[in-house]
Amino acid sequence: MSNIKKFRLTSFKEQKPILKLDKISLKYGKKIILDNLDLKLNPGQILGILGPNGAGKSTIFNIILGLIKEDFGSIIINSKVVNQFPIYQRTKKFKLGIVPQSFGWFHDMTVHENLKAVAEITIDKPSYRDEKINSLISAFELDSIRNLKAIQCSGGQQRRLSIAIALLSEPNILLLDEPYASLDIMSIRTLSEIIVSLQTRNNISIIITDHNAADLLKVVDSCAILNNGKIIAQDTPSKLIKNIDARKAYFGESFKIS
């Protein structure tokens, strides 16, 4: 599994970030959730975010999407501050997609019906809808289950369906919230290969969070450690696991990438 990522993008000196969080802060009552947080995603990059439970990983996604309103700071996509844009404009105008942690599809609809329902919202041209749906069904190997209800699919099939649904809007930025949760070893490997192919073939910039640190680190170019509302370390996987602050806050002394 260590060979899933054959190369890592590490140099972005000449490019502006496609997504930037600038001094994002959020409190619930007296509890500080995010504390003056800075984060940037470069074009074509896969960026990981790791951290203990309650560190604020999902909160970052919700702020990027506009589901939660930050107390302070700026969300910048393609050099445009988007804080005042509603969710649907962030997804459509700024090409932002999400694969949520839980589901992302309709339980009692088939695989094909799920894709068709979302395509009717995201794709204006009817003839292109069918073309896009069939293309995604083929690309994600869903043809044999296209008439099976989503709830009856395996965990790996459901995750592939969720990603296919997210790609209907042809996003430039894709947020993956704990995509490896509850998957078996083979499904994790297949999903990891899909994530890397989204970068290499589709040129999609990706942010991924998960508690499965070992598998996440195999697909990312760079990874940030979030703790107590702040990014305390960020680097390539091989360098990050040697970082003293990262080991103290998250990895521990015995962690290795197999």
Side-chain angles (χ1 to χ4, degrees), residues 189-204:
R189 181 178 180 85
T190 299
L191 183 58
S192 294
E193 291 170 347
I194 288 171
I195 291 168
V196 172
S197 74
L198 292 176
Q199 176 194 40
T200 56
R201 296 180 186 178
N202 301 73
N203 197 32
I204 297 175

Side-chain angles (χ1 to χ4, degrees), residues 139-207:
F140 288 92
E141 299 180 0
L142 299 171
D143 195 62
S144 64
I145 58 166
R146 65 186 294 145
N147 296 318
L148 191 66
K149 288 187 177 181
I151 194 63
Q152 298 171 326
C153 297
S154 70
Q157 291 167 339
Q158 290 171 348
R159 202 74 83 230
R160 298 203 307 272
L161 173 59
S162 295
I163 296 175
I165 288 171
L167 294 182
L168 282 167
S169 60
E170 300 182 341
N172 294 327
I173 301 168
L174 188 63
L175 308 178
L176 296 172
D177 193 0
E178 299 197 22
Y180 296 131
S182 303
L183 295 186
D184 59 55
I185 293 174
M186 290 304 297
S187 295
I188 287 174
R189 181 178 180 85
T190 299
L191 183 58
S192 294
E193 291 170 347
I194 288 171
I195 291 168
V196 172
S197 74
L198 292 176
Q199 176 194 40
T200 56
R201 296 180 186 178
N202 301 73
N203 197 32
I204 297 175
S205 306
I206 298 168
I207 304 181

